[in-house]
Amino acid sequence: MLNRLLATRHPHAVTGDANQLQLHRTLGPWGLTALGIGAVIGGGIFVITGQAAADHAGPAIMLSFVLAAICCTFCALAYAEFAAMVPVSGSAYTYTYATLGELAAWFIGWMLVLEYGVSASAVAVSWTGYFLSLLDNFGIHLPAALVSAPLDATLKPTGAIANLPAAGIVLALTWLCYVGIRKSSAMNMAMVVLKTGLILLVIAAGWKYVDPANWHPFIPANEAPGRFGWDGVLRGAAMVFFAYIGFEAVSVAAQESNKPQRDLPVGMLLSLAICTVLYIAMAAVMTGLVPYTLLGTDEPVVTAVAAHPELGWLRIVVEIGALIGLSSVVLVMIIGQPRIFMIMARDGLLPPVFTRIHPEYRTPHINTVITGIGIAVLAAVFPLDVLGELTSMGTLIAFAAVCAGVLILRRTQPDLPRPFRIRGVWFVCLAGIFSCLALLSTMTAHNWFLMVVWTGFGFLVYFLYGYRHSLLARAGRGG
């Protein structure tokens, strides 16, 4: 049994039936870069930046973004080496299977459900805030019971019915993903170009009204653990790390990339670099327009712009840009999660129904429907602060596993072709692991309890189905 749990699969092993319908290869380096930007730019700029600045880092939120970007760069380099060497869908799950074994691969795959599904629902709830702000400009006010979660942070009833706008945008984007990666990729590219242009407009227009006095003190004095001071800067980095997780979505689309060995590293690293510059610039403008203490709202960018009457014309631009940005994040997550399920099912860890590809659209249509409905239910029912930290924890664990996997594979299979090789691999990967562990150390005991419950449920699914039906199990029985 121990040998089975620790059994690895060769990185170049092909899973699934050779006669099975395959995904369309339509994505080039710019399409993959747009996919990464579409996943990254969204909640970070439009929601998390203001909250992290108001509650933890102050103007030093710019440093928090730098620290988070450094951690993500280490992880991105590890992803790039793996993605070029193992150009199939599955992301951290596939990489872990090749290095740490089946049980660890299942664990990481289960963590990725948090990263994609739960984070998409959180972004969808954020989308509702900017949607309501946009409607307010036209004097339209929806009933509170239809735009709020029926449960609060303690899972007690709030009296609301459901967050219908959040569920609605998820279901609409699910249909787009159902009909094909070409259509959804083209839509994502359009949204990325438009929202990036709007963000640059906000930065350029707002810079004239920045008051440098709002940046002093740059690092406010520490008031409590995790609240301002350097401790707050680190806590802010842990928060904004959530905004960087999208670059991994590039590797999930490996089987739909024209030249994955060349294009995947370019897509990941370029999207990460572009997003980091935009994050820091937007953070500088926001904290320069108003005192950081005023940014702890559901629409912090609107709050910053509205404080200056001269920028009143920007409010609608910001709201539209936020809606587009948040929509593209949800779109990329809905693209990514079904492909994780698909590759796990091809390995036998999930039922065969998850491997089905639509004969016309060539998309994992059943997976897409299941993912979309699940994300819509979460967005309609639960508040953000119940699962937000859990999402970050799952992501950090997956990132650390990929960094460890690169080192293990360098040791166990040094002769494998590596189109992209990390220079200084031991420093980069160890730095990535320790960076992830440092951010994980900021999580509360309550969050760790939730993680144990989620992990226990995942292992129950594995031992009831995956352990007996995996390809490795069938091979061991001569099946």
Side-chain angles (χ1 to χ4, degrees), residues 207-477:
W207 196 262
K208 291 174 55 178
Y209 301 96
V210 165
D211 182 3
N214 289 327
W215 292 334
H216 299 286
F218 187 69
I219 303 179
N222 181 258
E223 298 178 1
R227 186 169 175 81
F228 306 121
W230 279 105
D231 193 29
V233 173
L234 293 176
R235 179 62 179 148
M239 287 188 66
V240 300
F241 181 85
F242 175 82
Y244 278 106
I245 64 175
F247 75 83
E248 187 207 7
V250 174
S251 64
V252 175
Q255 286 182 298
E256 288 144 296
S257 170
N258 292 324
K259 298 179 180 179
Q261 284 87 355
R262 181 199 67 183
D263 296 345
L264 290 179
V266 172
M268 277 187 282
L269 295 174
L270 186 57
S271 61
L272 182 60
I274 292 172
C275 293
T276 299
V277 173
L278 291 176
Y279 274 146
I280 295 174
M282 182 64 92
V285 170
M286 290 173 59
T287 55
L289 288 176
V290 296
Y292 64 87
T293 53
L294 302 179
L295 294 175
T297 65
D298 291 336
E299 308 87 26
V301 184
V302 171
T303 301
V305 169
H308 296 267
E310 303 89 346
L311 296 176
W313 61 275
L314 264 184
R315 175 172 177 171
I316 293 182
V317 174
V318 168
E319 290 162 346
I320 294 175
L323 292 176
I324 294 172
L326 297 174
S327 297
S328 64
V329 173
V330 177
L331 175 65
V332 172
M333 295 307 174
I334 297 175
I335 290 174
Q337 181 63 70
R339 286 149 180 81
I340 297 290
F341 284 148
M342 182 184 69
I343 200 69
M344 293 175 73
R346 285 184 175 178
D347 291 333
L349 300 181
L350 289 174
V353 68
F354 287 92
T355 66
R356 293 182 183 174
I357 295 178
H358 196 284
E360 178 183 355
Y361 301 130
R362 297 293 182 93
T363 59
H365 56 299
I366 296 178
N367 276 338
T368 299
V369 171
I370 293 173
T371 299
I373 292 175
I375 293 172
V377 170
L378 288 174
V381 174
F382 292 99
L384 297 181
D385 44 5
V386 171
L387 296 172
E389 296 285 349
L390 196 61
T391 302
S392 294
M393 293 178 72
T395 304
L396 287 165
I397 291 171
F399 283 8
V402 170
C403 291
V406 169
L407 293 179
I408 292 173
L409 212 56
R410 283 287 189 99
R411 186 78 174 178
T412 59
Q413 300 189 50
D415 298 327
L416 279 177
R418 290 173 170 84
F420 177 84
R421 295 179 65 93
I422 302 173
R423 294 184 179 181
V425 62
W426 283 94
F427 169 77
V428 170
C429 292
L430 289 177
I433 293 171
F434 286 120
S435 297
C436 292
L437 294 177
L439 296 181
L440 280 170
S441 69
T442 66
M443 304 301 177
T444 64
H446 175 70
N447 292 326
W448 282 108
F449 172 76
L450 292 176
M451 176 60 72
V452 170
V453 173
W454 173 257
T455 302
F457 179 68
F459 282 144
L460 181 65
V461 173
Y462 170 73
F463 284 107
L464 289 178
Y465 183 88
Y467 178 76
R468 293 182 294 126
H469 294 86
S470 75
L471 292 185
L472 291 180
R474 282 182 276 174
R477 294 193 299 265

Side-chain angles (χ1 to χ4, degrees), residues 55-277:
D55 298 333
H56 299 286
I61 187 64
M62 290 178 272
L63 290 181
S64 297
F65 274 117
V66 172
L67 294 177
I70 292 173
C71 175
C72 286
T73 299
F74 294 139
C75 298
L77 289 170
Y79 266 102
E81 177 164 319
F82 255 134
M85 183 172 55
V86 192
V88 297
S89 296
S91 186
Y93 160 79
T94 301
Y95 310 152
T96 305
Y97 213 150
T99 55
L100 301 179
E102 183 175 281
L103 183 64
W106 171 266
F107 172 69
I108 295 303
W110 199 244
M111 294 300 102
L112 292 178
V113 176
L114 291 178
E115 177 181 345
Y116 287 88
V118 178
S119 65
S121 65
V123 174
V125 174
S126 302
W127 186 93
T128 298
Y130 280 92
F131 178 67
L132 296 178
S133 178
L134 180 62
L135 293 182
D136 183 62
N137 291 318
F138 303 98
I140 301 175
H141 305 282
L142 301 180
L146 300 180
V147 296
S148 304
L151 301 175
D152 63 12
T154 60
L155 301 184
K156 295 179 180 179
T158 63
I161 297 175
N163 189 336
L164 294 184
I169 186 61
V170 169
L171 293 177
L173 294 173
T174 298
W175 172 83
L176 187 64
C177 293
Y178 183 94
V179 298
I181 186 71
R182 183 185 298 274
K183 293 182 178 63
S184 53
S185 176
M187 177 64 73
N188 179 66
M189 176 71 83
M191 288 192 291
V192 167
V193 171
L194 184 55
K195 75 179 178 180
T196 303
L198 290 172
I199 290 169
L200 292 173
L201 177 62
V202 171
I203 293 171
W207 196 262
K208 291 174 55 178
Y209 301 96
V210 165
D211 182 3
N214 289 327
W215 292 334
H216 299 286
F218 187 69
I219 303 179
N222 181 258
E223 298 178 1
R227 186 169 175 81
F228 306 121
W230 279 105
D231 193 29
V233 173
L234 293 176
R235 179 62 179 148
M239 287 188 66
V240 300
F241 181 85
F242 175 82
Y244 278 106
I245 64 175
F247 75 83
E248 187 207 7
V250 174
S251 64
V252 175
Q255 286 182 298
E256 288 144 296
S257 170
N258 292 324
K259 298 179 180 179
Q261 284 87 355
R262 181 199 67 183
D263 296 345
L264 290 179
V266 172
M268 277 187 282
L269 295 174
L270 186 57
S271 61
L272 182 60
I274 292 172
C275 293
T276 299
V277 173

